[in-house]
Amino acid sequence: MDIQGKAEKQFHRPYENWSSLKSAADRVCERGVHINGAVYSSKLSLASIQTLLEGTAGGGRKRFVVRKDKFSCVVHDGLRVFRDVQTKPSVILWRDSKRGLTYMISVQPREVFEHICRSVYRFLQPELCKVFLRTREVQGALNRLAESHSELKLRVREYTARSLIADPGSRKRVRTVREWTDEEHETVFQKLADEKQWLAGLRLEVRGRGEAAGRIWRDVTFSCESGFGLFFNSIVAVLGNSVTGSRKFFESRGRLENPDHGSRPVRISYSEDVFSNKKQNIRLLQILKTLRDSALSVYHPNPYLHASLVDYVDGSSYEVWVTNPGSILVVPKRKATADSMGRVCNFICDEFQEGDIQELAC
Amino acid sequence: MEVAEAIESLKIEANNYMRTVYALKAMANELLWDASAKRFYKHGLACFGPRLETSSLNRISPNNKVTPDLVVTVPSRQNVLVEAKLAVSGDKDKRRPKLLQVQKYDDDLKGLADNQRGHPGHDIVFLVSCEHAKNIKDDIQELQKNGEIRFDRPFALVRFFLMEQYKTWFVLEVVSGSLTDTDETEKLRGPLMIDLVHLISNPDFGHIKFYDAEPPLPLLMDEIHELVMSSLTREQRQELRESNQVDVSLKVEQLREQMAENCGPINTSMSRIPEIPQKGWIGRALEGFRKMGWASKQNDGTYVYHVKQRRDPLEQFYSLCAKRKCRTALQRQQKQEKDAKKYPLFGDQIRCAK
């Protein structure tokens, strides 16, 4: 068994406290194995998560095996999807009940980690809520970290971003760019703003009391290459605060949760008049049609846009309106979970164009 | 009639219906807005489709029940009764009887004053789409001149349309007549432009999708599909994900109540609110699902809806209704041709009827 295999076997077990998990993760990192992780917002306790995961799926089949200790549990996926993986797809799961966060980490390769995360997340949706951060939120989080921990030096070593393709003859409308660099995070965010790009992911180095390096993505997943303790307590912790804030923003917006006051719409605003070109209405509709597990009903495409979107994952539904050239209005209908609403808004920001998601003020 | 042509005509019909609903919302929004205080009147009430009773002196329908599309009441102000007309015939002779019917609201309507905290009297607003406004205005003027129509209460003909001027605006404009409130009349003569966002996000009536006229079937089916999806339990959702289908039992009356709560008008004076949507509309929509194979009917009259993750549901509903429309048109044409052959002497009249 190679280093990866040994690390998987030794690491994937339940832990009784945070320090034992952190020490194990640090040891794994020292051997050059990357730790992949994801942060979710959730009000479910560890015991409830275990109960739900141990329940049967459709057809009466049990999918997950869960082993639990005081602090964390380890979840093994019963499906063997990856033949070349030495152990079953597994993930360690624990809660930060104070901030309402649930973490998942694994030392398995990224594609295996993504597979099990997706499976567990889909099983626990919408109670387990995935949050997506926009460029400004990641920037804000890193700024807060730099201000509160002046001893830490943050350097961006690589970033991936997306931007619109201006050429009307192009079949693709959004390009992905990847840059290798060694700059302060503020400089990188300034560049993104200047070039009208939105962030997809960053590779950061943290220097302070020790050193750490790793990547973060806008879906609040991360991959730590070295110094897990420092990386987690600095970068992941500060992103966790943004996750809590984002969840709160998208919570309680459907009519079921606001019986006396109607639903609470949000506006995705752009700094320029994106929809002054009416072809953008059609582009937005085409993009919305590709949202996974959803159905779109178009009532009026042009000059104003009016459509209805049903999220089949949890039955949330929305009306989507474009009534002015600089913004999209997302109006929750009867039911709208924070998980679904965040996913829909992120999909628009990521695939159409990133904008500011704001409370609608009439 | 081609299917594509029928789909287009259904889409226009659905669009007109939605515009009419928005016109009623726009009227409610305007009449409830206190322009001087820049907020809605504290005790103002928009009552969509209240059931009122006419007096024995009513010229059109004495001692009967009437349901105007909207009544707006604001304490210490005159009530405003609004009737919207969705489809108006291009034929003058077919149009006029419908206009005469509006006179049934020119009466001391029971239920208006006692139940709605407003003034006992009321003004009448006849709300029509922009394209019909000129014809209706001319008709009313002619009918008034001939003494065939008269309104003892203040009456205003208001047209509505959507306008694109940087933003999308819903426009209301008085074409003829006036209201008791002269300031309001002047505002509506303006014309009055309301930001569509205010109507979409209104907490009291932003959710309303239907008024007291049967909506085009595809719109209703689309709303039912959404409601069923949002009502699934965790276990049903899990089953849907794993098995790609889950069956849900639907009872017409229960579904009607849920739909009324979801997209019908909700008012405080519930006793005077008609069933919106009506039981018959729901029944027809469920039959539509059955014909599409999306639902099956049980012996006890309940329906089993086969929930699946379906793409483009609204387009599928349009397609179903369009095919049915084409089939009906074809059957009618075949019958007329058969009749023309059977009764050759009346052939011309049969062709004219066609």
PDB file of all heavy atoms in Angstrom, chain B residues 90-118:
ATOM      1  N   GLY B  90     -64.284  42.079 -31.797  1.00  0.00           N
ATOM      2  CA  GLY B  90     -64.095  43.127 -32.791  1.00  0.00           C
ATOM      3  C   GLY B  90     -65.426  43.517 -33.425  1.00  0.00           C
ATOM      4  O   GLY B  90     -65.561  44.567 -34.050  1.00  0.00           O
ATOM      5  N   ASP B  91     -66.425  42.651 -33.245  1.00  0.00           N
ATOM      6  CA  ASP B  91     -67.750  42.870 -33.818  1.00  0.00           C
ATOM      7  C   ASP B  91     -68.582  43.742 -32.860  1.00  0.00           C
ATOM      8  O   ASP B  91     -68.806  43.379 -31.705  1.00  0.00           O
ATOM      9  CB  ASP B  91     -68.412  41.492 -34.014  1.00  0.00           C
ATOM     10  CG  ASP B  91     -69.766  41.600 -34.671  1.00  0.00           C
ATOM     11  OD1 ASP B  91     -70.293  42.732 -34.772  1.00  0.00           O
ATOM     12  OD2 ASP B  91     -70.298  40.546 -35.074  1.00  0.00           O
ATOM     13  N   LYS B  92     -69.007  44.888 -33.360  1.00  0.00           N
ATOM     14  CA  LYS B  92     -69.754  45.854 -32.543  1.00  0.00           C
ATOM     15  C   LYS B  92     -70.992  45.229 -31.879  1.00  0.00           C
ATOM     16  O   LYS B  92     -71.272  45.468 -30.707  1.00  0.00           O
ATOM     17  CB  LYS B  92     -70.187  46.982 -33.473  1.00  0.00           C
ATOM     18  CG  LYS B  92     -70.376  48.317 -32.813  1.00  0.00           C
ATOM     19  CD  LYS B  92     -70.629  49.337 -33.893  1.00  0.00           C
ATOM     20  CE  LYS B  92     -70.803  50.709 -33.338  1.00  0.00           C
ATOM     21  NZ  LYS B  92     -70.994  51.713 -34.382  1.00  0.00           N
ATOM     22  N   ASP B  93     -71.718  44.414 -32.653  1.00  0.00           N
ATOM     23  CA  ASP B  93     -72.965  43.837 -32.145  1.00  0.00           C
ATOM     24  C   ASP B  93     -72.720  42.845 -31.013  1.00  0.00           C
ATOM     25  O   ASP B  93     -73.560  42.677 -30.127  1.00  0.00           O
ATOM     26  CB  ASP B  93     -73.725  43.142 -33.277  1.00  0.00           C
ATOM     27  CG  ASP B  93     -74.200  44.168 -34.308  1.00  0.00           C
ATOM     28  OD1 ASP B  93     -74.399  45.333 -33.893  1.00  0.00           O
ATOM     29  OD2 ASP B  93     -74.322  43.813 -35.493  1.00  0.00           O
ATOM     30  N   LYS B  94     -71.576  42.163 -31.077  1.00  0.00           N
ATOM     31  CA  LYS B  94     -71.255  41.206 -29.995  1.00  0.00           C
ATOM     32  C   LYS B  94     -70.694  41.940 -28.789  1.00  0.00           C
ATOM     33  O   LYS B  94     -70.797  41.470 -27.658  1.00  0.00           O
ATOM     34  CB  LYS B  94     -70.225  40.181 -30.489  1.00  0.00           C
ATOM     35  CG  LYS B  94     -70.806  39.129 -31.409  1.00  0.00           C
ATOM     36  CD  LYS B  94     -69.758  38.105 -31.768  1.00  0.00           C
ATOM     37  CE  LYS B  94     -70.313  37.124 -32.790  1.00  0.00           C
ATOM     38  NZ  LYS B  94     -69.265  36.329 -33.404  1.00  0.00           N
ATOM     39  N   ARG B  95     -70.055  43.079 -29.052  1.00  0.00           N
ATOM     40  CA  ARG B  95     -69.384  43.838 -27.999  1.00  0.00           C
ATOM     41  C   ARG B  95     -70.392  44.556 -27.093  1.00  0.00           C
ATOM     42  O   ARG B  95     -70.244  44.592 -25.885  1.00  0.00           O
ATOM     43  CB  ARG B  95     -68.484  44.855 -28.686  1.00  0.00           C
ATOM     44  CG  ARG B  95     -67.360  45.384 -27.863  1.00  0.00           C
ATOM     45  CD  ARG B  95     -66.327  46.034 -28.732  1.00  0.00           C
ATOM     46  NE  ARG B  95     -66.837  47.116 -29.560  1.00  0.00           N
ATOM     47  CZ  ARG B  95     -66.488  47.312 -30.829  1.00  0.00           C
ATOM     48  NH1 ARG B  95     -65.649  46.502 -31.417  1.00  0.00           N
ATOM     49  NH2 ARG B  95     -66.986  48.314 -31.511  1.00  0.00           N
ATOM     50  N   ARG B  96     -71.412  45.122 -27.706  1.00  0.00           N
ATOM     51  CA  ARG B  96     -72.319  46.014 -26.975  1.00  0.00           C
ATOM     52  C   ARG B  96     -73.074  45.354 -25.812  1.00  0.00           C
ATOM     53  O   ARG B  96     -73.164  45.953 -24.739  1.00  0.00           O
ATOM     54  CB  ARG B  96     -73.286  46.681 -27.949  1.00  0.00           C
ATOM     55  CG  ARG B  96     -72.519  47.693 -28.781  1.00  0.00           C
ATOM     56  CD  ARG B  96     -73.401  48.633 -29.512  1.00  0.00           C
ATOM     57  NE  ARG B  96     -72.607  49.722 -30.029  1.00  0.00           N
ATOM     58  CZ  ARG B  96     -73.115  50.797 -30.600  1.00  0.00           C
ATOM     59  NH1 ARG B  96     -74.419  50.921 -30.724  1.00  0.00           N
ATOM     60  NH2 ARG B  96     -72.345  51.739 -31.043  1.00  0.00           N
ATOM     61  N   PRO B  97     -73.616  44.123 -25.990  1.00  0.00           N
ATOM     62  CA  PRO B  97     -74.310  43.517 -24.843  1.00  0.00           C
ATOM     63  C   PRO B  97     -73.403  43.398 -23.616  1.00  0.00           C
ATOM     64  O   PRO B  97     -73.852  43.538 -22.480  1.00  0.00           O
ATOM     65  CB  PRO B  97     -74.710  42.133 -25.359  1.00  0.00           C
ATOM     66  CG  PRO B  97     -74.693  42.246 -26.836  1.00  0.00           C
ATOM     67  CD  PRO B  97     -73.690  43.283 -27.182  1.00  0.00           C
ATOM     68  N   LYS B  98     -72.113  43.163 -23.858  1.00  0.00           N
ATOM     69  CA  LYS B  98     -71.175  43.032 -22.730  1.00  0.00           C
ATOM     70  C   LYS B  98     -70.991  44.371 -22.030  1.00  0.00           C
ATOM     71  O   LYS B  98     -70.824  44.425 -20.819  1.00  0.00           O
ATOM     72  CB  LYS B  98     -69.831  42.502 -23.218  1.00  0.00           C
ATOM     73  CG  LYS B  98     -69.889  41.031 -23.569  1.00  0.00           C
ATOM     74  CD  LYS B  98     -68.525  40.421 -23.712  1.00  0.00           C
ATOM     75  CE  LYS B  98     -68.654  38.916 -23.936  1.00  0.00           C
ATOM     76  NZ  LYS B  98     -67.408  38.283 -24.248  1.00  0.00           N
ATOM     77  N   LEU B  99     -71.014  45.432 -22.816  1.00  0.00           N
ATOM     78  CA  LEU B  99     -70.855  46.764 -22.217  1.00  0.00           C
ATOM     79  C   LEU B  99     -72.077  47.121 -21.381  1.00  0.00           C
ATOM     80  O   LEU B  99     -71.964  47.690 -20.293  1.00  0.00           O
ATOM     81  CB  LEU B  99     -70.642  47.821 -23.302  1.00  0.00           C
ATOM     82  CG  LEU B  99     -69.402  47.625 -24.188  1.00  0.00           C
ATOM     83  CD1 LEU B  99     -69.273  48.763 -25.184  1.00  0.00           C
ATOM     84  CD2 LEU B  99     -68.148  47.547 -23.340  1.00  0.00           C
ATOM     85  N   LEU B 100     -73.248  46.739 -21.890  1.00  0.00           N
ATOM     86  CA  LEU B 100     -74.492  47.028 -21.154  1.00  0.00           C
ATOM     87  C   LEU B 100     -74.502  46.337 -19.787  1.00  0.00           C
ATOM     88  O   LEU B 100     -75.064  46.842 -18.826  1.00  0.00           O
ATOM     89  CB  LEU B 100     -75.709  46.598 -21.977  1.00  0.00           C
ATOM     90  CG  LEU B 100     -75.925  47.372 -23.292  1.00  0.00           C
ATOM     91  CD1 LEU B 100     -77.047  46.746 -24.110  1.00  0.00           C
ATOM     92  CD2 LEU B 100     -76.241  48.843 -23.024  1.00  0.00           C
ATOM     93  N   GLN B 101     -73.856  45.160 -19.759  1.00  0.00           N
ATOM     94  CA  GLN B 101     -73.791  44.381 -18.513  1.00  0.00           C
ATOM     95  C   GLN B 101     -73.100  45.134 -17.377  1.00  0.00           C
ATOM     96  O   GLN B 101     -73.386  44.897 -16.208  1.00  0.00           O
ATOM     97  CB  GLN B 101     -73.032  43.062 -18.768  1.00  0.00           C
ATOM     98  CG  GLN B 101     -73.826  41.989 -19.480  1.00  0.00           C
ATOM     99  CD  GLN B 101     -74.917  41.416 -18.592  1.00  0.00           C
ATOM    100  OE1 GLN B 101     -74.689  41.111 -17.430  1.00  0.00           O
ATOM    101  NE2 GLN B 101     -76.108  41.307 -19.150  1.00  0.00           N
ATOM    102  N   VAL B 102     -72.180  46.036 -17.723  1.00  0.00           N
ATOM    103  CA  VAL B 102     -71.416  46.760 -16.684  1.00  0.00           C
ATOM    104  C   VAL B 102     -72.353  47.591 -15.811  1.00  0.00           C
ATOM    105  O   VAL B 102     -72.055  47.880 -14.650  1.00  0.00           O
ATOM    106  CB  VAL B 102     -70.326  47.652 -17.335  1.00  0.00           C
ATOM    107  CG1 VAL B 102     -69.464  48.333 -16.273  1.00  0.00           C
ATOM    108  CG2 VAL B 102     -69.432  46.809 -18.233  1.00  0.00           C
ATOM    109  N   GLN B 103     -73.527  47.924 -16.379  1.00  0.00           N
ATOM    110  CA  GLN B 103     -74.502  48.727 -15.619  1.00  0.00           C
ATOM    111  C   GLN B 103     -75.002  48.020 -14.355  1.00  0.00           C
ATOM    112  O   GLN B 103     -75.556  48.656 -13.464  1.00  0.00           O
ATOM    113  CB  GLN B 103     -75.712  49.043 -16.495  1.00  0.00           C
ATOM    114  CG  GLN B 103     -75.429  50.031 -17.589  1.00  0.00           C
ATOM    115  CD  GLN B 103     -76.692  50.296 -18.378  1.00  0.00           C
ATOM    116  OE1 GLN B 103     -77.349  51.298 -18.196  1.00  0.00           O
ATOM    117  NE2 GLN B 103     -77.023  49.360 -19.254  1.00  0.00           N
ATOM    118  N   LYS B 104     -74.797  46.687 -14.293  1.00  0.00           N
ATOM    119  CA  LYS B 104     -75.280  45.965 -13.108  1.00  0.00           C
ATOM    120  C   LYS B 104     -74.552  46.418 -11.839  1.00  0.00           C
ATOM    121  O   LYS B 104     -75.020  46.218 -10.728  1.00  0.00           O
ATOM    122  CB  LYS B 104     -75.160  44.449 -13.296  1.00  0.00           C
ATOM    123  CG  LYS B 104     -73.759  43.910 -13.338  1.00  0.00           C
ATOM    124  CD  LYS B 104     -73.780  42.422 -13.652  1.00  0.00           C
ATOM    125  CE  LYS B 104     -72.355  41.928 -13.863  1.00  0.00           C
ATOM    126  NZ  LYS B 104     -72.283  40.640 -14.473  1.00  0.00           N
ATOM    127  N   TYR B 105     -73.380  47.050 -12.021  1.00  0.00           N
ATOM    128  CA  TYR B 105     -72.646  47.544 -10.852  1.00  0.00           C
ATOM    129  C   TYR B 105     -73.081  48.953 -10.444  1.00  0.00           C
ATOM    130  O   TYR B 105     -72.653  49.463  -9.424  1.00  0.00           O
ATOM    131  CB  TYR B 105     -71.142  47.546 -11.133  1.00  0.00           C
ATOM    132  CG  TYR B 105     -70.618  46.174 -11.454  1.00  0.00           C
ATOM    133  CD1 TYR B 105     -70.042  45.893 -12.688  1.00  0.00           C
ATOM    134  CD2 TYR B 105     -70.721  45.140 -10.524  1.00  0.00           C
ATOM    135  CE1 TYR B 105     -69.575  44.628 -12.986  1.00  0.00           C
ATOM    136  CE2 TYR B 105     -70.263  43.861 -10.814  1.00  0.00           C
ATOM    137  CZ  TYR B 105     -69.688  43.616 -12.047  1.00  0.00           C
ATOM    138  OH  TYR B 105     -69.236  42.367 -12.338  1.00  0.00           O
ATOM    139  N   ASP B 106     -73.940  49.569 -11.254  1.00  0.00           N
ATOM    140  CA  ASP B 106     -74.435  50.915 -10.952  1.00  0.00           C
ATOM    141  C   ASP B 106     -75.680  50.778 -10.079  1.00  0.00           C
ATOM    142  O   ASP B 106     -76.806  50.969 -10.542  1.00  0.00           O
ATOM    143  CB  ASP B 106     -74.733  51.630 -12.283  1.00  0.00           C
ATOM    144  CG  ASP B 106     -75.053  53.093 -12.057  1.00  0.00           C
ATOM    145  OD1 ASP B 106     -74.547  53.666 -11.082  1.00  0.00           O
ATOM    146  OD2 ASP B 106     -75.814  53.657 -12.869  1.00  0.00           O
ATOM    147  N   ASP B 107     -75.463  50.406  -8.831  1.00  0.00           N
ATOM    148  CA  ASP B 107     -76.562  50.041  -7.947  1.00  0.00           C
ATOM    149  C   ASP B 107     -76.072  50.169  -6.500  1.00  0.00           C
ATOM    150  O   ASP B 107     -74.862  50.239  -6.254  1.00  0.00           O
ATOM    151  CB  ASP B 107     -76.952  48.566  -8.250  1.00  0.00           C
ATOM    152  CG  ASP B 107     -78.220  48.123  -7.564  1.00  0.00           C
ATOM    153  OD1 ASP B 107     -78.901  48.968  -6.957  1.00  0.00           O
ATOM    154  OD2 ASP B 107     -78.521  46.911  -7.632  1.00  0.00           O
ATOM    155  N   ASP B 108     -77.009  50.186  -5.546  1.00  0.00           N
ATOM    156  CA  ASP B 108     -76.603  50.148  -4.135  1.00  0.00           C
ATOM    157  C   ASP B 108     -76.311  48.692  -3.804  1.00  0.00           C
ATOM    158  O   ASP B 108     -77.214  47.937  -3.441  1.00  0.00           O
ATOM    159  CB  ASP B 108     -77.735  50.687  -3.241  1.00  0.00           C
ATOM    160  CG  ASP B 108     -77.896  52.183  -3.428  1.00  0.00           C
ATOM    161  OD1 ASP B 108     -76.864  52.849  -3.690  1.00  0.00           O
ATOM    162  OD2 ASP B 108     -79.032  52.675  -3.342  1.00  0.00           O
ATOM    163  N   LEU B 109     -75.080  48.327  -3.949  1.00  0.00           N
ATOM    164  CA  LEU B 109     -74.726  46.913  -3.814  1.00  0.00           C
ATOM    165  C   LEU B 109     -74.598  46.522  -2.347  1.00  0.00           C
ATOM    166  O   LEU B 109     -73.884  47.182  -1.584  1.00  0.00           O
ATOM    167  CB  LEU B 109     -73.420  46.625  -4.555  1.00  0.00           C
ATOM    168  CG  LEU B 109     -73.474  46.871  -6.066  1.00  0.00           C
ATOM    169  CD1 LEU B 109     -72.085  46.810  -6.671  1.00  0.00           C
ATOM    170  CD2 LEU B 109     -74.395  45.868  -6.754  1.00  0.00           C
ATOM    171  N   LYS B 110     -75.288  45.449  -1.994  1.00  0.00           N
ATOM    172  CA  LYS B 110     -75.247  44.983  -0.612  1.00  0.00           C
ATOM    173  C   LYS B 110     -73.928  44.229  -0.386  1.00  0.00           C
ATOM    174  O   LYS B 110     -73.525  43.405  -1.200  1.00  0.00           O
ATOM    175  CB  LYS B 110     -76.434  44.044  -0.358  1.00  0.00           C
ATOM    176  CG  LYS B 110     -76.742  43.872   1.097  1.00  0.00           C
ATOM    177  CD  LYS B 110     -77.945  42.984   1.276  1.00  0.00           C
ATOM    178  CE  LYS B 110     -77.956  42.442   2.690  1.00  0.00           C
ATOM    179  NZ  LYS B 110     -78.862  41.329   2.823  1.00  0.00           N
ATOM    180  N   GLY B 111     -73.313  44.548   0.747  1.00  0.00           N
ATOM    181  CA  GLY B 111     -72.042  43.880   1.046  1.00  0.00           C
ATOM    182  C   GLY B 111     -70.863  44.797   0.838  1.00  0.00           C
ATOM    183  O   GLY B 111     -69.773  44.544   1.330  1.00  0.00           O
ATOM    184  N   LEU B 112     -71.097  45.862   0.113  1.00  0.00           N
ATOM    185  CA  LEU B 112     -70.001  46.777  -0.194  1.00  0.00           C
ATOM    186  C   LEU B 112     -69.647  47.639   1.017  1.00  0.00           C
ATOM    187  O   LEU B 112     -68.490  47.750   1.387  1.00  0.00           O
ATOM    188  CB  LEU B 112     -70.404  47.668  -1.366  1.00  0.00           C
ATOM    189  CG  LEU B 112     -69.302  48.425  -2.065  1.00  0.00           C
ATOM    190  CD1 LEU B 112     -68.295  47.487  -2.673  1.00  0.00           C
ATOM    191  CD2 LEU B 112     -69.899  49.289  -3.166  1.00  0.00           C
ATOM    192  N   ALA B 113     -70.675  48.202   1.640  1.00  0.00           N
ATOM    193  CA  ALA B 113     -70.412  49.139   2.731  1.00  0.00           C
ATOM    194  C   ALA B 113     -70.234  48.430   4.058  1.00  0.00           C
ATOM    195  O   ALA B 113     -69.265  48.673   4.770  1.00  0.00           O
ATOM    196  CB  ALA B 113     -71.562  50.127   2.825  1.00  0.00           C
ATOM    197  N   ASP B 114     -71.147  47.496   4.366  1.00  0.00           N
ATOM    198  CA  ASP B 114     -71.135  46.905   5.701  1.00  0.00           C
ATOM    199  C   ASP B 114     -69.914  46.024   5.925  1.00  0.00           C
ATOM    200  O   ASP B 114     -69.383  45.939   7.005  1.00  0.00           O
ATOM    201  CB  ASP B 114     -72.421  46.099   5.937  1.00  0.00           C
ATOM    202  CG  ASP B 114     -72.633  45.034   4.876  1.00  0.00           C
ATOM    203  OD1 ASP B 114     -72.171  45.260   3.759  1.00  0.00           O
ATOM    204  OD2 ASP B 114     -73.243  44.003   5.168  1.00  0.00           O
ATOM    205  N   ASN B 115     -69.453  45.402   4.878  1.00  0.00           N
ATOM    206  CA  ASN B 115     -68.404  44.410   5.063  1.00  0.00           C
ATOM    207  C   ASN B 115     -67.009  44.967   4.834  1.00  0.00           C
ATOM    208  O   ASN B 115     -66.030  44.316   5.090  1.00  0.00           O
ATOM    209  CB  ASN B 115     -68.653  43.251   4.102  1.00  0.00           C
ATOM    210  CG  ASN B 115     -68.288  41.936   4.725  1.00  0.00           C
ATOM    211  OD1 ASN B 115     -68.362  41.795   5.931  1.00  0.00           O
ATOM    212  ND2 ASN B 115     -67.884  41.004   3.916  1.00  0.00           N
ATOM    213  N   GLN B 116     -66.935  46.152   4.277  1.00  0.00           N
ATOM    214  CA  GLN B 116     -65.615  46.569   3.852  1.00  0.00           C
ATOM    215  C   GLN B 116     -65.144  47.906   4.413  1.00  0.00           C
ATOM    216  O   GLN B 116     -64.263  48.531   3.832  1.00  0.00           O
ATOM    217  CB  GLN B 116     -65.562  46.577   2.334  1.00  0.00           C
ATOM    218  CG  GLN B 116     -65.708  45.163   1.815  1.00  0.00           C
ATOM    219  CD  GLN B 116     -65.878  45.129   0.346  1.00  0.00           C
ATOM    220  OE1 GLN B 116     -65.787  46.146  -0.309  1.00  0.00           O
ATOM    221  NE2 GLN B 116     -66.132  43.967  -0.185  1.00  0.00           N
ATOM    222  N   ARG B 117     -65.696  48.317   5.494  1.00  0.00           N
ATOM    223  CA  ARG B 117     -65.192  49.446   6.257  1.00  0.00           C
ATOM    224  C   ARG B 117     -65.110  50.752   5.451  1.00  0.00           C
ATOM    225  O   ARG B 117     -64.489  51.698   5.852  1.00  0.00           O
ATOM    226  CB  ARG B 117     -63.798  49.125   6.829  1.00  0.00           C
ATOM    227  CG  ARG B 117     -63.817  47.979   7.794  1.00  0.00           C
ATOM    228  CD  ARG B 117     -62.451  47.747   8.327  1.00  0.00           C
ATOM    229  NE  ARG B 117     -61.567  47.153   7.335  1.00  0.00           N
ATOM    230  CZ  ARG B 117     -60.276  47.013   7.461  1.00  0.00           C
ATOM    231  NH1 ARG B 117     -59.685  47.456   8.539  1.00  0.00           N
ATOM    232  NH2 ARG B 117     -59.564  46.442   6.542  1.00  0.00           N
ATOM    233  N   GLY B 118     -65.641  50.782   4.282  1.00  0.00           N
ATOM    234  CA  GLY B 118     -65.504  51.964   3.447  1.00  0.00           C
ATOM    235  C   GLY B 118     -66.745  52.827   3.478  1.00  0.00           C
ATOM    236  O   GLY B 118     -67.636  52.678   4.299  1.00  0.00           O
TER     237      GLY B 118
END
